[in-house]
Every structure is written in C-alpha cells, then in structure tokens.
Amino acid sequence: MRLRNWIAVLVSVLLLAGAGVAGILVNRSTVKAVETVHQNDTTALGTNNGTLTGQLQKNSTLELGKLLGSGSMRLGAKDAKDRITLSVLAAKSTTFQYGMATASQDRDLLTASRASGLPPASDPAWAPMWESLETRDFGFSGVMPAGETFVTAVAIPIKVGGGLVGYLIGFNQVAATPLHGYIRELRSDVHKTMIVDTAGRIGAASDDALVGGAVNGAIRPELGRPGSRFVEYVENDVKMIAVVVGVQPSGWSYVRTQTKAYFDGAVYSRSQTLNLTLLVMLVIGVVGITVLGYRTQITRRRADERFQALFQHAPDLVSVLDINGRIIFSSPSTTSVLGFKAGSLAGHGVFDVVHHEDQPQMREQLGALVADPDGVLRLQCRVRTAGGEFRWFDFTASNQMHNPALNGVVINARDISENRAFQERLEHEAQHDPLTGLPNRRRMQDKLNSTLRAGAVAVLFVDLNGFKPVNDAHGHEVGDELLRQVADRLSACVRSEDVLARVGGDEFVILMPGVMTAEDAVGMSGRVRYVLELPFRIDGHEIGIGASVGVHLAPAATDPDEALRAADHAMYEIKHTSRIPAGVTVRVGRHRAVD
C-alpha cells in the first residue's frame, strides 16, 4: 500500500512537472513573440523618424542650393557686398534665418551675414562637414556653441566653370529648427527622443533642456553607424535601454531612451511569477491533479491579463488573424485609434475595414505570407475608422501559424496619416511654383507628355512685356506680387480642363487639350492679352504691362519638347517682329505658321 501511494505521488509529481515544463515553454514562446513585435515596432518607428530626419536635412541642402542660385558672391574677405547678399539670403530662407557665411577653398571663413554669434573656427564639430564636402556636394557639421545658443552648419561648394572657388554656409539655431519642433512633439513621460551628431552632442530633443547636451557615454560608440541597434546601459543606478538608428546623409543618429523595466513591461515580471508558481506546484505535488487543474486556470487568466496590460495603452494596433483573414484578437488601442469598441472586431474579416482599392494588393500579399512559415510582410494601406473616415496605416505582419501560443498572423499597425500628408506636401511643393502656387515646368511637361499620347493640344506660350522695368522701379517684392496677380488673372481665363503653369521668371504656359482650331487658340490668347493689359494696383502703384502670346497647335503623338519649342518660337516672333498683327502668332502642326 505504501509503495502504491509513493507511485501515485510520483505520478502526480511527474504530471505536474510535465505540465510545469510545458507552461514555462508556452510562456517563454509568448513572451518572445510579443518581444519580437515590440522590438520590430520600436525599430520601425526609429527608422521612420530617422528617414524623416534625413529628408529634412537633405531639404536644407536643396534650399541652400536655391539660395546660392539667387545671389552672386564675390568671395572676398569681409566683403561688404557679400555681407548684404548673405543677409538678404538669410532673410529669405526658411531654414537659415540665423545667418549665412562664405568660406574660401582653404575653409577659412570670409564673410558672414552677422558680426557675432558664430561658432569658433577651432570647434571640432566643423570637421564632419569639411570631411563630407571632400566626397559630396554637401556637408553637415556637428552641434556647436555660438555664444549662449547652439547652432549647426550646412555647407555646399561654390563652383565657377566646374572649378571650386569657395563654400556657402548656412547656420541653424538648433532650438528653433522644424526638426527640433517635430521631435518635441514626441515627448513622453516614459522615454526621451533625441537627434544626436556623430560626437554625441544633442541637436534636437523631446525635452528642450537636452539640446546642446551630450548623450550617455555608453551610446556614443554606436553613433554614426548605418542601420539600427539596441544599447543597454546603466544611468544613475537605473537599467536603461536605447534604440539607435543611423540617419543619412548627415551621419547623425536618432536615439530613443527609456528604462529597461518600462521597455520590458509587465510581460517579464509576470512571466517570472508564473515560473515561480509552477515550481511551487512541483514541491507540493501531493496535492495531485486537482491542484494542477486549478493552477492551470489561474495561469491562463493571468496570461490574458498580461497580454491586455501590454497593449492597453499602446499607440499601435496589434491584431491576430486566422488563415482566412478573420480577426481573432485586436488590442484595446482599437478603441482609441479607430473608435471601435474593444473586442467588437473579433470574428470579422480584416478586409471589412480595409479600403476597397487596397484590398487586392493586401489579399495577394497575405496569401503569400500564410504560405511562408517564416514570412514577414510590410505594406501600407487605408483603414476605415468607426466614423467612416479612412486613415493610412503602416502594417508589419509576421506568420505565427506555427507558434502554438498565437496560431495566426500577427499584425502590428501604426497610424502614418500625418507622415503621408507630409510626404504628399513635399511632392506637391516639388511640382508647383512656390510663388504663385501654379504647376511648375516639370509638372507642365509631364501633363503635356501624357496629353499628347491621347490627343491634340494647343500650347500657348505667354511672356510678360514690361516686367523687368517693374522690378527695377519698384523692387522684387512688388514684382513678386505682380506675378501672383498675373497668375490669378490667367487662372480666371482658362477652362477647367486646361493646365496653367509658370515655367520661368515672367513666362507662363497654357495647355488646352483637344483644341486644334486657330480660332479657339486666338480667342484664348486674346483673353490673356486683354486681362494682362488691364492696370494692376500694388502698394498704391498703378502698374501696366502687356503680354506676347505664341501658340502651337500640336496634333496627337507630337514630341512634347518640339511642341513647347514651337510655341516659344511663335512667342519670340510676336515679341521681336513688328509685322505680326494682333499680338499673337499661331503655328499649326510642325511646319506651317498662320499670322
């Protein structure tokens, strides 16, 4: 009997041991999956912000190039005319309002727009900028003290006839840059976000007090390297973790720090509690299968609580889909992000909330993901909110069908509507004239090319008469306002299907798709000349100008460049040949001109 009891106890202990080991493995697998999703999300966020930082820095070099093209430099030491030119360029700039300067080929500072408040030439943070200029057409310095403020410098070469003659330098006050304003919006009580130069000095941060300071010494060896990585270190006796993402093209780094305890969250602490509980159950194995069943239920409930605690306040959406695309689980953040009640999406197909235009692509890629046991998918699509609005989300999906703790496709989604809007705004600015808001030459040529593939188009080339004297007499601000009013008047003349573009200083182009009669083109040119000959009133001045209009009637399949040149030549004839009547020259097709 005693032997039988020992056998029963031994069997109970073995059963409990087997269940305990299985519980530990399941718990570890769940923690690993959640940790992978969390790390991937943190890395994706850092990569997105690092990419945005690099784009903002690249845009500053493009602006510096535009400013260089709008002013001439004599490149003399303390040259008075250069100082005035630099002051005007700094005032026009949206990025370098702190000041601008020129430097010689030997990197010696020549002339600056401001007499004081510049970083000393001995500051080592200049070095990265000069090193980059040896191989690139731009360079970024590190963060440098300039009096009581901190600045960074951006430089591009000044070339004449293909040869280097000096450098144009723009200075940013780091605490006032759009980059710092953006990073400040990422402030949080639980983490700090920073943009750090290669020497470890902070150029933008979610906390204003950090700007100009230095990151922890344990992070510095990871700065300036491409890709992303996690760094664990101790600060003030507290275990910390930082994600570091390299920023191109400056070599700076995006850094986000937080305590290791907060980063790990409740998963690790409750996981340890579970393991301890299972070990205690092994010690008290005499309680038998009844205790094992009871503890199993408690363990499952705690696992659910851990999972809910992890995602209760997360800004991202986390969902699990079955093989048919039905939602098995959606995180509580569904309520705050999309407005749906917690758990209300469970059992519904994920395509019920995806925009119909994005569904074919998503179905195809999810099908491929399910077929790949180790597959990971990244895509962007529009998701419907509870209010019917569609917002852009960045999806990261991983195949966890083989994971018994999940048995589905795990999707982590972040709302990127604001980033998409920002990128679309950048694309719009690249294709439109910043002064008048009209399409620029690049946008006009794209439209002309696509239009000529489908049919005929009338091309009107409009050149203002008397515009230069207006600039000379009243200044460029009045000239700019005149161009804006000209754009408004021309916009009122064209049809809804026509395209009006500004292609040069005082040159405009009108595309009239489907027009192949000289009468229609002459009628439009007459309206253009009439509205532009009416007086303009700007700052109390009555200004009169005129316009020369050249027209080319281009049939379908005409070369776009040839059509534009023909309209330009027609305009040139009316502008420089007095025999042309009515202020317009019309060219039909390629070879014939009608006066």
Side-chain angles (χ1 to χ4, degrees):
M1 187 68 180
R2 180 175 302 176
L3 178 60
R4 185 176 298 176
N5 290 339
W6 279 111
I7 292 175
V9 171
L10 179 60
V11 170
S12 298
V13 170
L14 292 176
L15 289 174
L16 287 171
V21 171
I24 291 173
L25 293 177
V26 170
N27 183 54
R28 181 177 299 174
S29 177
T30 303
V31 170
K32 183 177 180 181
V34 173
E35 180 185 23
T36 300
V37 171
H38 183 37
Q39 288 185 346
N40 289 342
D41 173 62
T42 301
T43 301
L45 174 63
T47 301
N48 289 340
N49 284 325
T51 301
L52 179 59
T53 298
Q55 186 60 51
L56 289 173
Q57 292 179 330
K58 182 64 175 177
N59 288 346
S60 69
T61 66
L62 298 178
E63 182 184 6
L64 201 58
K66 292 181 180 178
L67 293 174
L68 176 60
S70 64
S72 60
M73 303 292 174
R74 298 196 295 190
L75 298 179
K78 299 183 179 179
D79 188 283
K81 184 176 179 181
D82 278 2
R83 182 183 298 277
I84 293 174
T85 301
L86 291 170
S87 299
V88 171
L89 294 180
K92 290 168 57 178
S93 172
T94 59
T95 306
F96 307 109
Q97 293 186 353
Y98 183 82
M100 299 183 68
T102 58
S104 68
Q105 293 173 274
D106 298 327
R107 305 176 181 177
D108 295 324
L109 191 66
L110 295 175
T111 305
S113 61
R114 55 189 300 149
S116 62
L118 296 180
S122 59
D123 196 308
W126 287 101
M129 183 184 80
W130 298 122
E131 292 175 1
S132 177
L133 284 167
E134 291 179 357
T135 56
R136 297 179 174 179
D137 287 334
F138 53 82
F140 299 88
S141 76
V143 180
M144 300 178 287
E148 296 182 359
T149 188
F150 290 92
V151 301
T152 60
V154 182
I156 62 173
I158 303 174
K159 298 181 178 180
V160 176
L164 177 68
V165 295
Y167 300 94
L168 179 63
I169 303 173
F171 294 96
N172 288 312
Q173 184 178 358
V174 294
T177 60
L179 176 60
H180 177 61
Y182 171 76
I183 298 299
R184 188 192 293 123
E185 294 299 321
L186 303 179
R187 60 182 176 271
S188 170
D189 294 332
V190 297
H191 61 73
K192 295 178 180 178
T193 304
M194 298 162 283
I195 304 298
V196 185
D197 67 17
T198 55
R201 185 168 283 176
I202 300 171
S206 55
D207 184 354
D208 290 343
L210 297 176
V211 174
V215 297
N216 188 280
I219 300 176
R220 292 186 184 180
E222 303 298 327
L223 300 177
R225 296 169 53 190
S228 61
R229 63 206 61 85
F230 288 90
V231 180
E232 296 186 23
Y233 60 99
V234 176
E235 187 175 75
N236 297 328
D237 297 327
V238 177
K239 291 183 178 179
M240 305 290 292
I241 187 170
V243 60
V244 182
V245 180
V247 175
Q248 296 299 327
S250 64
W252 289 27
S253 299
Y254 165 93
V255 179
R256 190 175 82 163
T257 66
Q258 57 189 307
T259 64
K260 188 71 165 57
Y262 183 83
F263 182 84
D264 291 341
V267 175
Y268 283 91
S269 62
R270 291 190 178 272
S271 174
Q272 294 173 357
T273 300
L274 174 61
N275 293 336
L276 179 61
T277 301
L278 292 174
L279 290 174
V280 172
M281 291 176 66
L282 291 175
V283 174
I284 58 172
V286 290
V287 179
I289 302 300
T290 301
V291 176
L292 176 63
Y294 174 76
R295 295 302 298 175
T296 300
Q297 294 300 320
I298 295 298
T299 300
R300 290 178 179 176
R301 186 178 67 191
R302 288 181 176 176
D304 290 338
E305 290 174 354
R306 285 195 307 275
F307 202 74
Q308 293 293 330
L310 180 64
F311 298 109
Q312 185 68 43
H313 304 292
D316 297 345
L317 301 178
V318 178
S319 302
V320 180
L321 310 181
D322 65 12
I323 194 172
N324 297 316
R326 287 192 300 269
I327 300 173
I328 303 173
F329 167 83
S330 60
S331 62
S333 54
T334 303
T335 302
S336 59
V337 177
L338 296 179
F340 293 103
K341 292 183 179 180
S344 62
L345 294 179
H348 291 270
V350 69
F351 302 104
D352 293 344
V353 293
V354 173
H355 196 281
H356 68 278
E357 294 179 357
D358 301 330
Q359 289 185 18
Q361 175 192 11
M362 190 172 182
R363 289 181 185 274
E364 178 182 355
Q365 297 194 29
L366 278 179
L369 177 66
V370 170
D372 183 1
D374 300 316
V376 176
L377 169 65
R378 287 292 303 274
L379 60 86
Q380 294 181 357
C381 67
R382 289 160 286 184
V383 175
R384 177 175 56 84
T385 67
E389 174 190 8
F390 282 93
R391 299 185 63 81
W392 280 98
F393 280 79
D394 182 80
F395 280 77
T396 301
S398 61
N399 188 343
Q400 296 293 323
M401 292 291 184
H402 59 285
N403 189 330
L406 297 173
N407 193 28
V409 175
V410 178
I411 292 181
N412 184 274
R414 175 173 290 271
D415 189 338
I416 59 168
S417 300
E418 293 183 0
N419 284 349
R420 289 278 302 204
F422 178 76
Q423 293 172 358
E424 291 171 359
R425 185 166 67 253
L426 289 179
E427 182 177 353
H428 179 273
E429 291 173 355
Q431 298 187 4
H432 289 76
D433 174 39
L435 178 64
T436 63
L438 297 177
N440 57 19
R441 178 180 289 271
R442 172 186 171 188
R443 176 62 176 164
M444 180 275 298
Q445 289 178 323
D446 290 343
K447 182 63 177 179
L448 178 59
N449 188 30
S450 61
T451 304
L452 284 173
R453 291 199 201 101
V457 59
V459 183
L460 282 71
F461 203 105
V462 182
D463 184 80
L464 303 184
N465 299 331
F467 176 75
K468 186 177 185 300
V470 174
N471 266 343
D472 295 339
H474 303 289
H476 289 285
E477 291 185 359
V478 172
D480 289 347
E481 178 58 27
L482 176 60
L483 289 174
R484 283 190 283 267
Q485 292 191 20
V486 166
D488 291 340
R489 292 189 184 185
L490 291 179
S491 297
C493 291
V494 299
R495 306 171 302 173
S496 59
E497 64 268 27
D498 295 340
V499 176
L500 170 63
R502 181 187 177 204
V503 297
D506 60 349
E507 296 175 340
F508 298 82
V509 168
I510 300 174
L511 305 180
M512 301 178 65
V515 173
M516 274 303 291
T517 64
E519 291 77 12
D520 291 339
V522 171
M524 172 62 79
S525 66
R527 290 194 296 275
V528 168
R529 288 185 294 107
Y530 172 76
V531 299
L532 295 185
E533 289 171 357
L534 296 175
F536 294 82
R537 294 200 61 83
I538 302 174
D539 290 344
H541 303 288
E542 184 172 292
I543 298 173
I545 61 172
S548 298
V549 182
V551 179
H552 178 69
L553 304 179
T558 300
D559 179 77
D561 292 334
E562 180 181 341
L564 191 60
R565 284 195 301 271
D568 188 15
H569 292 163
M571 181 278 297
Y572 184 82
E573 288 184 18
I574 189 59
K575 195 173 187 70
H576 297 282
T577 306
S578 58
R579 69 177 182 85
I580 303 297
V584 59
T585 294
V586 181
R587 291 181 178 270
V588 180
R590 287 178 152 182
H591 308 292
R592 195 161 53 87
V594 178
D595 294 340

